[in-house]
Amino acid sequence: MSKAPGSDEQTSVPHAADRHDLIRVHGARENNLKDVSVEIPKRRLTVFTGVSGSGKSSLVFDTVAAESKRLINETYSSFVQGFMPTLARPEVDVLEGLTTAIIVDQQRLGADPRSTVGTATDANAMLRILFSRLGEPHIGPPSAYSFNVPSVRASGAITVEKGAKKAVKATFERTGGMCVRCEGRGTVSDIDLTQLYDDSKSLDEGALTVPGYTTGGWNHRLYTESGLVDPAKPIRSYTKKELDAFLHHEPTRMKIAGINMTYEGLVPRIQKSFLAKDKEGMQPHIRAFVERAVTFTTCPGCDGTRLAEGARASKIGRTSIADACAMQISDLAAWVRGLDEPSVAPLLTALQLTLDSFVEIGLGYLSLDRPAGTLSGGEAQRVKMIRHLGSSLTDVTYVFDEPTVGLHPHDIRRMNDLLLQLRDKGNTVLVVEHKPEAIAIADHVVDLGPGAGTAGGTICFEGTVEDLRASGTVTGRHLDDRASLKDAVREPAGVLEIRGASAHNLRDVDVDVPLGVLTVVTGVAGSGKSSLVHGSLPAGADVISVDQSPIRGSRRSNPATYTGLLDPIRKAFAKANGVKPALFSANSEGACPTCNGAGVLYTDLGMMAGTASTCEDCEGKRFQASVLEHLLGGRDISEVLAMSVTEAEEFFGSGEAATPAARRILARLADVGLGYLTLGQPLTTLSGGERQRLKLATHMGEKGGIYVLDEPTTGLHLADVEQLLGLLDRLVDSGKSVIVVEHHQAVMAHADWIIDLGPGAGHDGGRIVFEGTPAALVAARSTLTGEHLAEYVGA
């Protein structure tokens, strides 16, 4: 007798499609991974743990996510692939059971001057449609409310084919919302001409002081050989016509030095080459020039709103789109909820959901007009998450890189709920994480290690959180670590007065920051910590600031070049061998001519993924064979760059190779816990935590009395936090004042003084809610931070 569909007998036989419930990785060798094999359960939340530099990102991002991305790219036509980045296949033997990977990382959002929180999400697009339908007076389509769209008018003839051809005169018009004065940037720049040239000199005498405009270079020859100005005459002697041709000439094609080139005035040329780029992305010397030569002021045409007059005048009730974008998102959500207009009901629902997602994820304190480049790494990651929360996709792999970065313990619980929500929709969630509160919610844990760099790259443990606790691995042993409050705190040597601080959401804050001690500034995300510390410290206060902005380096940059360590090493080699220091640089004369000192050859395979192969001539050593004949202490330059910091410290510490200048830099690198890094490892392969500590080591050599650190525990394993606290203590004991913006309770417990901001975020924050010792904060339990710290220390 046949059974009815859906009966027990039928369902007891598993369907063939249900067998694929694991992502299998066999023989992964990316970066420091040592032939790693692991099985990751699908539709579960898997957390990857391990000390900083143990290979977590290499396994999750550079192997699993990278291969998923590459395979998806290969489904497109070769024409489309030509516009996409070419991705090499990861170093792995077998990868099975992959699903589409969505990577939500901590890369800053595009720092284009016109990119805002609203444009980076769908919120701005929906608001523009809303105003184009309901705004009074009506000024045009959604583009009329966009500060990225200029208004244009054009007229011409078009040919209409109806029987006999005939030309019709037509005028075309597009209404955009871009402010004409600032072109949608919200600020206008004014250039200080005295910083561009020395008017007492002629061009031939090197009058130009702009970086890259050195005498004899093409930028310089453009002016000296144009025939429009006299290069032998001092600039102050130019006639009005000559000065105008030199500074403000329109772009014109002409032959200069026998080559067809575009000549234009110095001012527009500088505006295009320097001011159109994000300042944070510039090289330090160019950024210094821009800060010196250019002043940015709020655009008087649009009052910083970026919008044309028409867009600002069109309102719903009494609110314009500029007002809506300037509101705190939690307030904007309430305003949208109050709109009752059946004709746009589906749009209002979708906008409401997006704005509520901001609040739910703990970003309700932002506003839609906040420039995207000013968000921290953690904020950028959560803004990216908003796109996925309401997504209808299921059975995809979400990959997160420390989603708790920049989150107060109070907000971590919210983040955990969101990760579980994504998993419960039937997705595979992979999280690289260090915080015990985030590890606790995992269905499955993969612990890498046991150490960092070459001492890591193996799987130490796989299983549940409970089994991890009992496993005896570094993570297991430290999972329940709790720093205790100090018995005695240091006495301040003085105070740094901050008076009337009102940057961003600060409410006229007065606070005395004690000097000569370890001060920790706490508070929920968006409460005003960074505004207080970075935006309100008195000018010239002898401050060294180590923030989380990424280190910008190519694959040629490495710890030796970034810290300045290569200079004393090159000089020591040159002195020992009686040759030029430039020979010992892979970016200069000593470079292997075949690979230009890169050590590898990059081959673009057209429609297939490009490949990188080790250079056969130098065998990946990056130098010419003749350079490697010069030795110092029995080692050549490539062998020195292959050393770890610890080995190099010993090598340059004594004997024939003793170089005190190199040893000082190496000692600082070891001090911040980077003893395992090799000197020649490309910066592009370092993890986020490693980069920040590399930056800290570099700044420790500078002369400064006050160190300001922005979340130095980012990317640090529980075991490394202890070492960081030791480092902070050594800095304070050497007479420095250390101010740390931090959410990690271990750092709070270790502080001498705590300044807590709040009580909430955005306009609910910006006030000092507690000042005092950690013990007093725990005893009072009067703030969110106090409650969580008391819970942490078990008080």
Side-chain angles (χ1 to χ4, degrees):
M1 197 175 101
S2 65
K3 289 268 184 186
S7 66
D8 291 346
E9 195 174 300
Q10 268 194 319
T11 52
S12 63
V13 181
H15 194 288
D18 295 333
R19 289 201 305 265
H20 305 282
D21 54 358
L22 290 172
I23 296 173
R24 292 186 180 84
V25 182
H26 288 286
R29 294 178 298 280
E30 273 297 310
N31 299 331
N32 66 334
L33 296 180
K34 294 173 182 164
D35 223 18
V36 162
S37 295
V38 65
E39 294 189 338
I40 304 164
K42 284 188 187 173
R43 293 175 285 283
R44 295 291 180 272
L45 193 146
T46 302
V47 174
F48 293 79
T49 60
V51 297
S52 180
S54 59
K56 305 181 296 297
S57 296
S58 299
L59 177 60
V60 180
F61 289 93
D62 301 341
T63 305
V64 176
E67 180 63 353
S68 169
K69 217 165 162 188
R70 188 183 73 84
L71 291 173
I72 287 167
N73 282 8
E74 284 196 350
T75 63
Y76 298 113
S77 68
S78 53
F79 173 74
V80 173
Q81 283 184 51
F83 298 100
M84 300 172 116
T86 49
L87 303 168
R89 187 179 187 280
E91 280 281 309
V92 60
D93 295 334
V94 181
L95 260 179
E96 291 177 341
L98 288 178
T99 68
T100 304
I102 292 174
I103 300 169
V104 189
D105 60 14
Q106 288 186 39
Q107 292 293 324
R108 301 289 172 109
L109 288 166
D112 183 279
R114 292 201 196 93
S115 181
T116 64
V117 169
T119 59
T121 57
D122 289 335
N124 217 290
M126 289 190 273
L127 262 184
R128 293 199 300 265
I129 298 170
L130 185 68
F131 272 86
S132 72
R133 300 284 169 84
L134 305 182
E136 292 290 336
H138 177 76
I139 57 162
S143 63
Y145 296 90
S146 170
F147 52 76
N148 285 329
V149 179
S151 294
V152 290
R153 285 178 188 79
S155 59
I158 59 169
T159 303
V160 180
E161 288 194 31
K162 280 184 183 171
K165 291 182 181 179
K166 60 175 181 178
V168 179
K169 224 19 188 172
T171 303
F172 304 93
E173 207 167 293
R174 179 181 69 188
T175 308
M178 181 187 284
C179 167
V180 188
R181 178 83 185 268
C182 64
E183 296 185 341
R185 288 190 172 90
T187 56
V188 286
S189 54
D190 198 16
I191 294 178
D192 179 359
L193 298 178
T194 61
Q195 297 294 334
L196 306 187
Y197 55 81
D198 178 350
D199 69 354
S200 65
K201 293 180 179 176
S202 69
L203 289 175
D204 284 345
E205 290 168 339
L208 293 178
T209 54
V210 182
Y213 284 70
T214 46
T215 310
W218 273 112
N219 284 330
H220 187 261
R221 289 176 68 183
L222 187 70
Y223 296 100
T224 56
E225 301 185 24
S226 65
L228 297 176
V229 292
D230 181 354
K233 190 159 78 172
I235 292 175
R236 64 167 59 147
S237 306
Y238 281 5
T239 63
K240 196 177 174 197
K241 189 178 174 186
E242 279 181 314
L243 195 61
D244 191 61
F246 174 53
L247 292 177
H248 305 291
H249 202 283
E250 291 288 311
T252 312
R253 293 292 288 172
M254 57 169 70
K255 235 184 182 63
I256 296 173
I259 297 168
N260 285 326
M261 292 177 76
T262 300
Y263 176 90
E264 69 181 319
L266 187 62
V267 170
R269 195 172 162 82
I270 282 170
Q271 280 172 329
K272 282 178 191 166
S273 56
F274 294 145
L275 304 190
K277 294 176 188 163
D278 168 40
K279 206 161 63 173
E280 294 308 308
M282 295 173 177
Q283 292 167 288
H285 70 290
I286 292 178
R287 190 188 315 167
F289 162 73
V290 170
E291 282 168 355
R292 234 182 17 248
V294 186
T295 51
F296 293 94
T297 50
T298 303
C299 171
C302 64
D303 205 17
T305 62
R306 305 160 177 255
L307 290 160
E309 195 180 341
R312 299 197 308 274
S314 178
K315 299 186 176 183
I316 299 175
R318 292 181 179 175
T319 306
S320 69
I321 191 165
D323 300 332
C325 289
M327 281 183 199
Q328 186 166 305
I329 288 173
S330 52
D331 295 344
L332 181 59
W335 179 76
V336 171
R337 204 174 276 116
L339 296 176
D340 182 22
E341 184 56 55
S343 65
V344 287
L347 176 67
L348 288 172
T349 308
L351 180 56
Q352 190 66 60
L353 273 171
T354 302
L355 296 174
D356 286 344
S357 297
F358 272 100
V359 178
E360 197 181 333
I361 211 165
L363 293 177
Y365 60 87
L366 294 177
S367 60
L368 294 183
D369 64 1
R370 168 92 175 257
T374 63
L375 298 180
S376 69
E379 285 171 333
Q381 178 161 320
R382 282 176 282 150
V383 165
K384 290 176 196 170
M385 265 187 90
I386 284 164
R387 291 182 202 157
H388 307 301
L389 288 176
S391 168
S392 311
L393 289 172
T394 62
D395 234 337
V396 297
T397 301
Y398 283 98
V399 187
F400 290 95
D401 184 11
E402 284 189 70
T404 59
V405 162
L407 287 186
H408 189 270
H410 169 71
D411 297 318
I412 289 177
R413 292 178 182 173
R414 272 167 154 181
M415 178 57 78
N416 284 349
D417 292 342
L418 293 170
L419 294 174
L420 294 171
Q421 216 175 300
L422 281 174
R423 177 203 66 185
D424 295 344
K425 278 170 65 179
N427 298 307
T428 306
V429 181
L430 309 182
V431 183
V432 171
E433 206 25 285
H434 292 290
K435 297 261 173 77
E437 305 97 310
I439 297 170
I441 63 163
D443 300 310
H444 187 73
V445 180
V446 177
D447 190 29
L448 283 103
T454 51
T458 60
I459 303 282
C460 299
F461 169 84
E462 284 183 79
T464 64
V465 179
E466 285 313 308
D467 292 343
L468 175 67
R469 279 197 168 87
S471 67
T473 65
V474 177
T475 307
R477 286 200 307 273
H478 289 275
L479 201 57
D480 294 317
D481 275 9
R482 294 292 180 267
S484 53
L485 296 171
K486 289 200 284 199
D487 297 329
V489 294
R490 301 178 183 92
E491 286 301 315
V495 293
L496 185 67
E497 292 185 357
I498 294 177
R499 294 289 176 265
S502 55
H504 301 309
N505 64 333
L506 293 178
R507 307 275 186 89
D508 214 18
V509 168
D510 294 343
V511 64
D512 290 338
V513 180
L515 296 176
V517 297
L518 174 59
T519 304
V520 175
V521 181
T522 62
V524 297
S527 58
K529 304 180 298 299
S530 295
S531 303
L532 180 70
V533 174
H534 295 299
S536 309
L537 282 180
D542 194 20
V543 176
I544 290 170
S545 181
V546 186
D547 61 10
Q548 292 208 4
S549 59
I551 291 176
R552 296 180 190 273
S554 67
R555 48 191 174 213
R556 285 175 175 277
S557 309
N558 53 46
T561 58
Y562 183 77
T563 56
L565 171 66
L566 202 56
D567 286 342
I569 291 177
R570 281 197 300 244
K571 283 173 187 162
F573 265 97
K575 192 175 174 188
N577 294 282
V579 290
K580 286 194 296 187
L583 280 177
F584 303 98
S585 167
N587 295 330
S588 186
E589 289 182 32
C592 161
T594 311
C595 62
N596 289 329
V600 288
L601 294 170
Y602 295 94
T603 313
D604 184 7
L605 297 177
M607 62 191 75
M608 286 159 47
T611 61
S613 53
T614 305
C615 172
E616 289 179 7
D617 285 11
C618 66
E619 295 172 349
K621 291 179 178 174
R622 305 173 61 194
F623 293 91
Q624 296 172 23
S626 58
V627 173
L628 301 180
E629 289 168 12
H630 300 301
L631 304 180
L632 175 68
R635 303 286 186 97
D636 66 43
I637 183 74
S638 72
E639 288 171 326
V640 167
L641 289 175
M643 287 180 182
S644 70
V645 167
T646 315
E647 283 174 70
E649 194 179 359
E650 203 177 304
F651 178 72
F652 288 109
S654 57
E656 189 201 330
T659 312
R663 194 166 187 273
R664 276 197 297 277
I665 297 172
L666 290 161
R668 291 201 294 269
L669 285 168
D671 223 8
V672 296
L674 294 177
Y676 61 88
L677 278 192
T678 53
L679 305 187
Q681 183 177 340
L683 285 190
T684 48
T685 64
L686 299 190
S687 69
E690 287 169 334
R691 290 179 193 201
Q692 194 181 6
R693 283 180 290 154
L694 182 62
K695 206 188 274 190
L696 176 59
T698 309
H699 285 302
M700 277 169 64
E702 295 174 13
K703 298 274 184 285
I706 302 171
Y707 279 79
V708 175
L709 308 182
D710 194 352
E711 291 185 58
T713 59
T714 299
L716 282 193
H717 186 266
L718 300 157
D720 297 327
V721 172
E722 216 169 295
Q723 189 179 2
L724 177 79
L725 294 176
L727 171 66
L728 297 179
D729 278 342
R730 285 198 296 281
L731 277 173
V732 175
D733 293 341
S734 69
K736 310 284 188 195
S737 303
V738 180
I739 303 168
V740 183
V741 175
E742 192 48 271
H743 293 291
H744 203 297
Q745 292 105 317
V747 181
M748 294 181 202
H750 199 73
D752 297 309
W753 192 258
I754 284 185
I755 296 171
D756 193 18
L757 281 105
H763 59 47
D764 298 326
R767 289 188 286 267
I768 303 283
V769 289
F770 177 85
E771 289 179 78
T773 62
L777 179 62
V778 167
R781 296 192 190 206
S782 56
T783 69
L784 276 172
T785 308
E787 285 172 30
H788 284 279
L789 187 58
E791 195 182 310
Y792 175 83
V793 297

